[in-house]
Amino acid sequence: SQTIHQWPATLVQPVGSPLSLECTVEGTSNPNLYWYRQAAGRGLQLLFYSVGIGQISSEVPQNLSASRPQDRQFILSSKKLLLSDSGFYLCAWSALASGRGEQFFGPGTRLTVL
Amino acid sequence: SQQGEEDPQALSIQEGENATMNCSYKTSINNLQWYRQNSGRGLVHLILIRSNEREKHSGRLRVTLDTSKKSSSLLITASRAADTASYFCATPSNTGNQFYFGTGTSLTVIP
């Protein structure tokens, strides 16, 4: 069966520090991978998605970047965090050719920038 | 933007009552999906309804889709305290590579 892992679960970082959040998927090949951010009590904002290794699409201009060094690994990074980067970050995957289109989410990372 | 909007933003009901949430979207779709999110957790897929379907059932869940009005509804029957969560609708892009989520309905079921 497929599983998706995210770490860390929680993170408190000072403004201006770097960030690296990691997401890995097991049990599937060639997944589409996604990073979302969710502000408190709000909906999900799509940040990045990837349809293959090294292929990253950005939805919104921001202080963050994403990389996909391996088929089932998706990394969210920042060189210098801003207060506005605080939020709940969710990684998700979907099957590229499943035809069903459902997404499977990781447990999320709660990021607080102070 | 293709992002959907859920209505109401918050809903509080007694255990045993039915809960109805609505979703409106802006562009043509291939399918529409509903997700559930418990507080502080990731989202869980509940049900998918295709554009050529009008109604779909899964256990205590009933989803309807009206493509002419670009709207969908999620009905949870005989609600339980464990149904307390936020519920989101989502629509895929034309390529199927991106998903657009609504703002969510926060449901509280009072025991």
Side-chain angles (χ1 to χ4, degrees):
Chain A
S1 65
Q2 302 91 356
T3 55
I4 178 169
H5 304 280
Q6 271 187 258
W7 65 92
T10 59
L11 191 59
V12 179
Q13 291 284 97
V15 169
S17 64
L19 173 74
S20 180
L21 302 181
E22 189 161 345
C23 170
T24 60
V25 181
E26 296 177 357
T28 187
S29 297
N30 301 317
N32 279 5
L33 296 171
Y34 307 83
W35 278 111
Y36 292 90
R37 177 169 58 204
Q38 185 177 33
R42 303 289 295 277
L44 276 70
Q45 179 187 34
L46 179 62
L47 301 176
F48 300 96
Y49 71 94
S50 172
V51 300
I53 296 174
Q55 299 179 62
I56 308 294
S57 296
S58 174
E59 282 292 291
V60 293
Q62 57 203 309
N63 184 41
L64 303 168
S65 62
S67 62
R68 184 171 178 174
Q70 300 180 45
D71 181 46
R72 288 170 285 181
Q73 183 185 30
F74 206 22
I75 298 171
L76 184 68
S77 303
S78 174
K79 291 182 179 178
K80 288 186 177 181
L81 284 169
L82 306 172
L83 287 173
S84 57
D85 292 324
S86 293
F88 191 49
Y89 288 83
L90 288 159
C91 180
W93 74 272
S94 70
L96 188 60
S98 71
R100 295 197 61 206
E102 62 186 291
Q103 288 199 306
F104 302 91
F105 284 82
T109 294
R110 175 79 57 192
L111 172 66
T112 303
V113 183
L114 301 174
Chain B
S1 167
Q2 202 171 333
Q3 192 166 20
E5 295 280 339
E6 280 92 343
D7 167 56
Q9 288 189 337
L11 180 62
S12 184
I13 59 174
Q14 294 290 329
E15 198 165 34
E17 295 180 337
N18 295 342
T20 300
M21 289 157 268
N22 303 295
C23 167
S24 60
Y25 57 92
K26 297 181 179 178
T27 64
S28 61
I29 59 171
N30 174 270
N31 66 69
L32 185 142
Q33 302 166 38
W34 284 91
Y35 290 79
R36 165 196 169 121
Q37 183 183 31
N38 284 24
S39 180
R41 309 290 291 272
L43 280 71
V44 175
H45 182 265
L46 294 176
I47 194 166
L48 180 153
I49 186 167
R50 299 196 181 280
S51 59
N52 60 354
E53 298 176 308
R54 292 297 167 258
E55 188 171 312
K56 198 165 183 178
H57 297 253
S58 176
R60 293 186 295 112
L61 305 180
R62 173 181 167 241
V63 170
T64 63
L65 179 64
D66 187 336
T67 53
S68 66
K69 296 182 179 178
K70 291 186 168 60
S71 67
S72 172
S73 68
L74 170 67
L75 169 67
I76 303 175
T77 60
S79 64
R80 306 166 182 169
D83 294 328
T84 294
S86 292
Y87 293 83
F88 295 88
C89 65
T91 55
S93 64
N94 290 335
T95 62
N97 290 332
Q98 299 156 269
F99 291 80
Y100 300 100
F101 284 79
T103 51
T105 292
S106 176
L107 172 66
T108 301
V109 181
I110 303 167

